[in-house]
Amino acid sequence: MEEPPSVQSIAPQNIVVIHPGSLNVRIGRASDLDPVSELHVIARRRKIGGQTHRDQILPSLVSKNRELTEVLEDVRLQVSHTVQSCLQSDGRRRYATPPQQIAAFNRRSEPTKVEVPTTNNLIGVAKWIKPEGDVVVGNDVLKLDPSLDFNIHFPYRRGDFNVHSGPGGSVSAVIADLEVIWGYLLTVKLGLPKSQRKQCRAVLVIPDVYNRQYLKELMTLLLSDLGFGGCFLLQDHVAATFGAGLGVACVVDVGDQKTSVSCVEDGISHRNTRIRMEYGGGDITHIFHWLLLKCAFPYKTCDSRNYLDAMLLHQLKQDFCHVNLDVCGSHEKSFAIQKVNDAIHQYTLMLGDECVVAPLSLFFPELFSMTGIKTSLTQKRSAGDSEDPFDDHFIRETGRKGAKENLETAGGTDISAVGDLPGGDDDIVVDTLEGGAGQTSAGEFEISPGKILGLDQAVLQSIERCSSEDMKRKMYNCILVVGGGMKFAGIAAYLQNRLHLQVPFAYRSDQTDIVLTPKDTDPQLTAWKGASILSCLESSHELWIAPDEWKRIGVKILRERAPFMW
């Protein structure tokens, strides 16, 4: 008789770990050193007479009216003055090259044709690909001629499903896109066709602040549509602590379009400490482009809505931006562009403190208003689930009712005093909060309407939501930074200094340790590696959910098996 998946010994090469993001998806076997990383995008041929829809790589910009322009300029000047007031590590004052001088150099700079660029910053396409079918997936979408009749969809935006009112914006359409993208990567990149997936298991890395309905759809996708023989879900912050080898940490995950913070202790992400802000590396890229334009960016036809130009700006931000306050004055930089049926052109430009100001927008989030109004999401209680009659909503209500009846039996007690029993605050979770405050229960984040938190403020508020003084002290001692949106030299020291000035006096004697590259690994891969490690542990065998169990029991099994409180 075959052993159930919960107790079977599963080889690492038969476990697939999937970590989806708003820009890239990382997918690989647990035995792999690194995962396959591809653009998380799909292009579908448009039906005759159908609506056009093209999701952008970078977040959409809002039109700049006079009021917004003034706000952006005021905050930019504030950040510039803050940078100028800092000292270098040897105690000397920083100096800056006048912006007019930098702009004058850049206006005179002309591109040169080269055979082989002297820089690694080459972005472009020598020729467009000719799609054989009606679907193009992943990095190949960049090589697709924009004039062709394809709609382009990114299934994840701002860290969750890209649900909107346009074509392909329903939950079912998002799931269909995910099935094609992940199925292609499994078959082509990992050599794992659907016929072989029954012998494999899947681990899906999910957001720390999650939507319960979306998770049910993803479980069905993995077990029914993609055909895996078992799977389980793992929160990204918990996975990150496993990847970093930490038992306790305040995890800061800066992705391309979202930034999330929560406190993790012994594999549990505490619900009351979770918060997700709708900004990330893509927003910083827009700010960097805006600053480049202000200093006469020599690539005058650059358009952030163009996919290749967006990838170029993303690359320039990664290569040029930093928070090393010892770097002063102006510096020459170069990059190269190749356009279809054209020579490679190399550009030279001069940059000053623009390279520092853009990353610091994480601490001055008013700059993010150029990409629209932001909301902060927290983990909320479940309102009840018709598929799970004995869910936490039922337990909360029956527990409260039973306690009131006991007090009535005792007699003489004011029943209204028991409206919120202690057990009610331990309820878990989960729907997103569309901004605003005032309706949160005890212990949850209270976010002022329209208030956008900077990174340091989010960390401080998250830690302050911890339930004990001892846990707060542990979290202040270890802050783990992961994700690809905060890979700037010197940013860890800057965050440490910002926090040190604001940490409550009772914890100020402790040294805050910012872990930016745990075990010398790429912070973009920390969560993926952590999920791989956890999936191979002996204790993980009781987490697997088999397709027949999911079909027979449904969402109720997540309450029993999920490695987080459902």
Side-chain angles (χ1 to χ4, degrees), residues 542-554:
E542 60 193 45
L543 302 176
W544 297 110
I545 297 172
D548 62 324
E549 292 176 313
W550 179 250
K551 190 174 182 180
R552 187 176 71 254
I553 304 172

Side-chain angles (χ1 to χ4, degrees), residues 167-416:
S170 65
V171 173
S172 59
V174 170
I175 291 293
D177 289 342
L178 291 175
E179 181 183 357
V180 175
I181 297 170
W182 296 357
Y184 166 83
L185 295 175
L186 288 166
T187 303
V188 176
K189 301 295 184 178
L190 299 187
L192 195 61
K194 191 171 183 178
S195 59
Q196 298 178 17
R197 294 177 204 156
K198 195 68 177 174
Q199 288 74 45
C200 295
R201 306 287 183 266
V203 180
L204 180 65
V205 180
I206 63 169
D208 221 47
V209 177
Y210 56 87
N211 183 302
R212 183 178 282 195
Q213 181 60 39
Y214 295 169
L215 297 194
K216 291 193 290 186
E217 298 285 353
L218 288 169
M219 285 291 293
T220 303
L221 170 64
L222 292 169
L223 295 175
S224 299
D225 303 329
L226 292 176
F228 282 103
C231 77
F232 70 80
L233 308 176
L234 183 64
Q235 289 171 298
D236 51 6
H237 289 197
V238 174
T241 59
F242 275 91
L246 299 172
V248 176
C250 175
V251 181
V252 179
D253 184 352
V254 184
D256 186 70
Q257 296 201 2
K258 64 98 176 107
T259 296
S260 54
V261 181
S262 78
C263 295
V264 179
E265 182 182 36
D266 298 330
I268 299 295
S269 169
H270 292 276
R271 173 179 69 92
N272 293 337
T273 67
R274 299 177 203 158
I275 183 170
R276 183 169 85 215
M277 287 85 68
E278 292 187 327
Y279 59 76
D283 301 87
I284 298 174
T285 302
H286 266 312
I287 292 168
F288 187 51
H289 184 212
W290 175 62
L291 294 171
L292 289 175
L293 293 175
K294 293 185 76 65
C295 66
F297 190 39
Y299 178 28
K300 298 180 177 62
T301 59
C302 183
D303 183 355
S304 62
R305 294 169 297 181
N306 178 290
Y307 285 15
L308 293 174
D309 285 352
M311 294 303 293
L312 171 70
L313 291 169
H314 177 75
Q315 187 69 45
L316 295 183
K317 176 200 68 177
Q318 287 189 320
D319 293 340
F320 297 162
C321 287
H322 62 87
V323 192
N324 184 353
L325 298 179
D326 287 346
V327 177
C328 305
S330 57
H331 300 268
E332 276 192 31
K333 305 287 185 180
S334 61
F335 62 93
I337 301 171
Q338 181 172 28
K339 297 194 174 182
V340 176
N341 300 324
D342 197 0
I344 298 173
H345 287 82
Q346 183 160 306
Y347 290 79
T348 301
L349 75 158
M350 189 84 76
L351 287 174
D353 279 348
E354 294 83 8
C355 300
V356 181
V357 172
L360 292 187
S361 56
L362 289 166
F363 306 95
F364 298 85
E366 294 82 5
L367 285 172
F368 293 134
S369 56
M370 69 168 58
T371 53
I373 297 172
K374 305 292 183 296
T375 58
S376 297
L377 312 180
T378 61
Q379 198 73 68
K380 305 301 293 177
R381 290 177 175 177
S382 168
D385 191 333
S386 59
E387 296 179 33
D388 187 5
F390 299 103
D391 63 2
D392 60 283
H393 182 70
F394 169 83
I395 294 169
R396 179 172 69 242
E397 293 303 317
T398 53
R400 183 178 290 126
K401 182 180 177 182
K404 287 184 178 181
E405 288 175 351
N406 289 338
L407 287 171
E408 280 182 322
T409 305
T413 305
D414 182 7
I415 300 174
S416 63

